[in-house]
Amino acid sequence: MAAKKHFNVGDLIWAKMKGFPFWPGRIAKPPTDARSSAPKKTRHYVFFFGSENHAWIKDQNIVHHSEEMLQSASTKKKSNSLKLAIKQITKEAPKNAKLLVKAKKSLKKSREVSASGTEKKIAKYKKKVQRMKVKTESPKVRKKVLSKRRVISSRFTRRELQPGPTRNLHEPRPSDKKIGFIGLGKMGKTLVKHLLTSNHMVTIYDTTFNNCRDFIQFGVTIALTPDDVVQMCDIIFCCVSDSEAVKRVVFGNDGILSGLERSPPGSKGYVEMTTMDSTTSIEIAEAITSKGGRYLQATLCGTTTMAENGSLLILSAGDQQVFIDCNTCFCSFSGIARLLSYDVGCLSKINIINNMLIGISHVALAECLTFVERCNLNPDLFMDIVENSQLGSPLLAHIGESLLSRAFPNDTSAVKRQQKDLQLALSLDTNGELKMFVTAMANELFKRAKRDHYSDVYDVYTMANY
């Protein structure tokens, strides 16, 4: 069994998060409101150098700062952020070492002062034990003691011990805040199911009432308007189709702003999870905060399948307190949730570019598999090679599996969603200075699939055969 690690606030460490290398940081003191929701025994609140972000990291993913870690990092390719982080921890190390020396000296003095008293107590205890041994050496005393032990042991052997209730310490307790969720599409329904599974109090709303019917059996509250959701809940999540849908939810009659106007300032948190352009994101954030709401943008990086498995990556920007309040919700959605130091507009751009890469990967892999079949090669063997080479990634594995098994839904929602993301990516280049040839070609392919009412990536793959 591995030795237990001990970390104190202020310790310089290297922490590992999924998708990132070991990163320099420091054990930080968590905010007061974050302590109750975090599993203290298994995680530590870490401040990361370079990126200046915070996150809860499991104990087994943290190691103390050492020269070995610096040497290990120096042998790998490093981003600018990691270079800055290494520079900062190298600068902090001497200061930290001086503090440790002072602490050790003070501890040594305290031990020396108490040593004499401790020795006296030990000597006194040894004498007491020796006297007890002398008494029990008598045969009569020994017989009496043994008979008592037999009686006690027999009582407990006849008694059946009933197992008590158990609780998973790694599973966070549900938040005591009332959660509202607007938008019950494929992704929205999946996230609401996770909230209900983790015993959160949920109120739902969707423009199509039939989408709410599936949750009636779980005892959820169904609101009639977004305004009602605001009135009934402390934190409101919104996950709808596009920017226009978000504007209707926020600015429409009986919308979010209407509810915030009738609520105490700072009492409501609004979490926007819809993929939208940066301009709309900033507009929504300003509107929410102007009415006394607290705004957090939380982008979902991953597919619906990843959402079902609870393996989404959630990147957030905005109000830190809302991020902390949503801790248990994010834990039910995802394995990783990070609060970035970017503003909401920049986070929207990051999400769009990430989705752009996903769309391009869809088309590229579809074309490659088409070429593999044209050459009378084995597509399964090709995907096995891809997954075990430097190209291997969960994304390509998921796309390849879907293409080969033809496991796609019968509707066109996925094609529309992906084409929307590619169009948003192209719209970022407002001046036309960057010639995004690959993105433009992928966008045209998805536009054709949408125009001809093809279903999802299977049809993009089919089109690549012509």
Side-chain angles (χ1 to χ4, degrees), residues 36 44 88 90 174 204 302 306 328 356 419 446:
S36 59
H44 296 279
Q88 290 178 349
T90 305
I204 59 176
M306 294 174 68
T328 58
M356 177 184 79
Q419 193 273 322
F446 275 98

Side-chain angles (χ1 to χ4, degrees), residues 247-313:
K247 289 180 179 179
R248 289 193 293 270
V249 168
V250 175
F251 299 108
N253 294 331
D254 297 323
I256 297 295
L257 296 185
S258 175
L260 290 175
E261 287 176 350
R262 297 187 288 116
S263 303
S267 62
K268 306 294 181 180
Y270 180 82
V271 184
E272 185 56 70
M273 309 182 85
T274 306
T275 299
M276 53 186 174
D277 60 275
S278 58
T279 303
T280 303
S281 178
I282 295 171
E283 182 183 356
I284 298 297
E286 291 176 348
I288 295 293
T289 53
S290 67
K291 298 296 182 181
R294 296 176 294 138
Y295 183 84
L296 180 75
Q297 184 176 357
T299 61
L300 305 173
C301 300
T303 62
T304 307
T305 304
M306 294 174 68
E308 292 172 353
N309 298 332
S311 57
L312 289 171
L313 169 64

Side-chain angles (χ1 to χ4, degrees), residues 90 106 120 125 133 167 216 254 284 290 332 358 372 397 409 434 438 462:
T90 305
S106 61
K120 290 179 181 179
Y125 177 75
K133 284 184 178 179
R167 183 168 64 88
I216 294 177
D254 297 323
I284 298 297
S290 67
S332 67
I358 293 174
V372 166
L434 178 62
V438 177
T462 304

Side-chain angles (χ1 to χ4, degrees), residues 122-139:
I122 292 173
K124 187 177 180 181
Y125 177 75
K126 286 182 177 179
K127 289 181 180 179
K128 186 176 180 180
V129 172
Q130 189 64 30
R131 286 198 300 269
M132 291 178 66
K133 284 184 178 179
V134 172
K135 287 183 179 180
T136 54
E137 283 178 358
S138 170

Side-chain angles (χ1 to χ4, degrees), residues 26-163:
R26 183 195 299 118
I27 301 296
K29 185 177 180 181
T32 306
D33 296 334
R35 293 179 190 174
S36 59
S37 60
K40 299 178 184 177
K41 294 185 179 180
T42 58
R43 300 191 184 192
H44 296 279
Y45 196 64
V46 175
F47 167 79
F48 289 98
F49 290 115
S51 63
E52 298 184 355
N53 296 324
H54 293 81
W56 288 102
I57 305 296
K58 291 183 178 179
D59 187 81
Q60 61 264 32
N61 292 335
I62 304 175
V63 297
H64 286 285
H65 173 62
S66 63
E67 289 296 328
E68 288 78 7
M69 291 302 298
L70 283 175
Q71 292 174 2
S72 175
S74 64
T75 60
K76 301 175 182 177
K77 292 183 179 180
K78 299 183 286 294
S79 63
N80 291 333
S81 297
L82 182 54
K83 290 178 182 177
L84 177 61
I86 293 174
K87 184 177 179 181
Q88 290 178 349
I89 196 172
T90 305
K91 187 177 180 180
E92 287 286 329
K95 299 178 183 178
N96 192 264
K98 289 180 181 179
L99 292 174
L100 288 175
V101 169
K102 289 182 179 179
K104 287 180 179 179
K105 286 183 178 179
S106 61
L107 180 62
K108 186 177 180 181
K109 287 182 180 179
S110 63
R111 285 177 177 174
E112 289 174 354
V113 170
S114 61
S116 58
T118 304
E119 289 175 358
K120 290 179 181 179
K121 290 180 180 179
I122 292 173
K124 187 177 180 181
Y125 177 75
K126 286 182 177 179
K127 289 181 180 179
K128 186 176 180 180
V129 172
Q130 189 64 30
R131 286 198 300 269
M132 291 178 66
K133 284 184 178 179
V134 172
K135 287 183 179 180
T136 54
E137 283 178 358
S138 170
K140 291 183 179 180
V141 173
R142 182 178 293 277
K143 185 176 180 180
K144 189 176 181 180
V145 171
L146 289 175
S147 63
K148 284 184 178 180
R149 287 178 182 172
R150 290 193 190 100
V151 171
I152 293 171
S153 62
S154 63
R155 289 175 187 170
F156 282 95
T157 52
R158 288 196 300 268
R159 182 180 176 183
E160 294 182 1
L161 299 177
Q162 299 296 329

Side-chain angles (χ1 to χ4, degrees), residues 156-336:
F156 282 95
T157 52
R158 288 196 300 268
R159 182 180 176 183
E160 294 182 1
L161 299 177
Q162 299 296 329
T166 59
R167 183 168 64 88
N168 186 359
L169 296 176
H170 298 282
E171 183 179 348
R173 294 180 179 178
S175 172
D176 57 353
K177 297 186 180 297
K178 296 178 181 178
I179 308 299
F181 203 99
I182 298 174
L184 297 176
K186 288 185 177 180
M187 183 66 76
K189 283 185 177 180
T190 303
L191 299 181
V192 169
K193 288 177 182 177
H194 285 310
L195 288 173
L196 294 174
T197 303
S198 54
N199 298 320
H200 286 83
M201 297 177 288
V202 184
T203 298
I204 59 176
Y205 168 78
D206 192 87
T207 53
T208 305
F209 183 77
N210 286 336
N211 291 340
C212 303
R213 292 183 183 276
D214 297 338
F215 298 101
I216 294 177
Q217 58 181 323
F218 298 105
V220 301
T221 304
I222 300 176
L224 299 179
T225 65
D227 184 338
D228 294 335
V229 178
V230 175
Q231 296 302 312
M232 291 187 283
C233 302
D234 303 308
I235 299 174
I236 301 94
F237 288 88
C238 180
C239 183
V240 292
S241 57
D242 53 27
S243 301
E244 293 302 318
V246 174
K247 289 180 179 179
R248 289 193 293 270
V249 168
V250 175
F251 299 108
N253 294 331
D254 297 323
I256 297 295
L257 296 185
S258 175
L260 290 175
E261 287 176 350
R262 297 187 288 116
S263 303
S267 62
K268 306 294 181 180
Y270 180 82
V271 184
E272 185 56 70
M273 309 182 85
T274 306
T275 299
M276 53 186 174
D277 60 275
S278 58
T279 303
T280 303
S281 178
I282 295 171
E283 182 183 356
I284 298 297
E286 291 176 348
I288 295 293
T289 53
S290 67
K291 298 296 182 181
R294 296 176 294 138
Y295 183 84
L296 180 75
Q297 184 176 357
T299 61
L300 305 173
C301 300
T303 62
T304 307
T305 304
M306 294 174 68
E308 292 172 353
N309 298 332
S311 57
L312 289 171
L313 169 64
I314 299 178
L315 300 178
S316 305
D319 193 294
Q320 183 179 9
Q321 187 56 51
V322 178
F323 178 79
I324 294 171
D325 292 341
C326 294
N327 178 52
T328 58
C329 299
F330 288 154
C331 284
S332 67
F333 297 157
S334 161
I336 302 175

